[in-house]
């Protein structure tokens, strides 16, 4: 990401950067500070070496200090990234969080303060933001990604083609695994069944397509659902709202 300010070297314990991109692809990198990457418009995919999240509007992802991560979006998006000193991050978990309306409003206001805010008014505003960050819900872990073969090969098959409807019995041999071994490795390494993992992948992929303006109907089929109602039900169960409501400005 190109910025004129190094967020790891700003003098204050918190720094917020507001940016707008038409598209982006940033390779793995790390920051000394923790980050809350918050999307206000569009979608953005963030991945560490072990997890992946697609962030829709009004969501954010906490990235722990020193954690390698990459960001990707093929479509326009607006984000505010909140950089926080490690001691302020504490033992917080990484993952995706819902951003409430007040925090959503505070982040760009603090971004406007710049990297060296010192006035009493600025300190009060930042203090309120700190308080709000501490009240955000516990993060959700995200989609696990394996770095060890052959499970990584199996995961990559679906990461490259989330619309694939083949059962595990057909997919596993393509990665050099038996169905039984693959099922066991999903549970032991990812902590979830293959079916749950594939559903999360499909829904994350759906977020990116919906954010790009693809219709709900087309998105449902693009990510492997046989009918739209099943897709909407799964989406609502995972995100607590329908695709149309989440992307009401896009669809």
């Amino acid at each position: 990401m190109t910025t004129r300010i190094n967020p790891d070297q700003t003098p204050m314990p918190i720094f917020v950067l507001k940016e707008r991109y038409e598209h982006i692809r940033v390779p793995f990198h790390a920051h000394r500070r923790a980050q809350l990457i918050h999307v206000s418009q569009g979608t953005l995919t963030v991945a560490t070496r072990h997890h992946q999240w697609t962030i829709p509007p009004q969501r954010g992802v906490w990235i722990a200090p020193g954690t390698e991560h990459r960001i990707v979006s093929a479509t326009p998006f607006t984000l505010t990234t909140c950089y926080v000193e490690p001691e302020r991050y504490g033992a917080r978990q990484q993952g995706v969080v819902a951003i409430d309306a007040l925090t959503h409003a505070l982040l760009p206001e603090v971004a406007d303060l710049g990297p060296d805010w010192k006035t009493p008014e600025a300190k009060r505003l930042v203090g309120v933001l700190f308080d709000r960050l501490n009240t955000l819900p516990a993060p959700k872990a995200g989609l696990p990604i394996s770095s060890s073969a052959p499970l990584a090969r199996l995961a990559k098959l679906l990461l490259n083609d989330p619309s694939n409807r083949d059962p595990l019995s057909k997919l596993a041999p393509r990665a050099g695994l038996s169905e039984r071994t693959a099922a066991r490795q999903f549970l032991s390494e990812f902590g979830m069944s293959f079916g749950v993992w594939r559903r999360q992948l499909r829904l994350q992929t759906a977020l990116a397509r919906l954010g790009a303006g693809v219709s709900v109907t087309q998105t449902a089929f693009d990510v492997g659902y046989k009918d739209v109602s099943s897709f909407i039900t799964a989406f609502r169960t995972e995100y607590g709202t329908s695709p149309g409501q989440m992307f009401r400005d896009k669809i």
Side-chain angles (χ1 to χ4, degrees):
M1 184 180 300
T2 301
T3 65
R4 287 177 287 182
I5 300 172
N6 185 338
D8 286 331
Q9 296 180 359
T10 56
M12 311 312 284
I14 185 171
F15 171 59
V16 180
L17 188 64
K18 183 177 180 180
E19 300 166 292
R20 172 74 179 176
Y21 291 95
E22 294 303 308
H23 54 83
I24 198 168
R25 180 176 292 274
V26 178
F28 279 105
H29 65 289
H31 290 281
R32 179 182 64 82
R33 290 181 168 184
Q35 299 171 76
L36 176 64
I37 303 172
H38 166 237
V39 173
S40 56
Q41 293 180 331
T43 60
L44 178 67
T45 296
V46 180
T48 66
R49 298 290 185 180
H50 302 290
H51 289 89
Q52 174 179 294
W53 304 270
T54 297
I55 319 173
Q58 312 314 317
R59 302 295 196 279
V61 166
W62 276 114
I63 300 294
T67 300
E68 285 193 318
H69 61 285
R70 61 182 175 86
I71 59 175
V72 177
S73 180
T75 55
F77 67 97
T78 301
L79 80 159
T80 47
T81 306
C82 182
Y83 297 88
V84 181
E85 281 293 309
E87 61 267 21
R88 296 276 189 158
Y89 183 76
R92 193 193 309 268
Q93 292 181 331
Q94 290 189 135
V96 66
V97 293
I99 303 297
D100 62 274
L102 181 54
T103 305
H104 170 73
L106 284 168
L107 285 167
E109 291 293 322
V110 174
D112 289 341
L113 298 177
D116 194 11
W117 41 267
K118 292 180 179 178
T119 67
E121 294 81 6
K123 291 179 180 179
R124 285 195 295 269
L125 184 63
V126 172
V128 176
L129 177 58
F130 269 132
D131 288 342
R132 296 309 303 173
L133 294 179
N134 288 331
T135 64
L136 293 178
K140 294 184 178 181
L143 182 74
I145 299 174
S146 177
S147 58
S148 58
L151 188 59
R153 292 197 296 270
L154 176 54
K156 189 175 181 180
L157 289 173
L158 293 176
L159 285 165
N160 290 338
D161 182 16
S163 65
N164 189 313
R165 296 178 183 173
D166 288 344
L168 187 57
S169 59
K170 290 187 177 180
L171 292 168
R174 294 173 60 186
L177 293 167
S178 69
E179 179 184 7
R180 187 172 182 177
T181 299
R184 185 172 62 250
Q185 289 190 7
F186 268 94
L187 287 172
S188 62
E189 185 167 340
F190 291 164
M192 61 181 67
S193 69
F194 169 72
V196 171
W197 186 89
R198 174 147 69 176
R199 182 172 68 249
Q200 288 196 15
L201 170 63
R202 285 175 170 175
L203 292 175
Q204 282 201 19
T205 306
L207 287 174
R209 281 168 165 71
L210 293 166
V214 179
S215 71
V216 173
T217 298
Q218 186 61 50
T219 296
F221 295 123
D222 285 349
V223 300
Y225 281 87
K226 294 181 179 180
D227 59 81
V228 178
S229 62
S230 296
F231 167 65
I232 293 175
T233 297
F235 193 97
R236 189 186 296 275
T237 299
E238 180 70 18
Y239 299 114
T241 186
S242 70
Q245 290 170 330
M246 179 177 284
F247 292 92
R248 59 186 178 276
D249 296 330
K250 290 288 185 180
I251 300 173

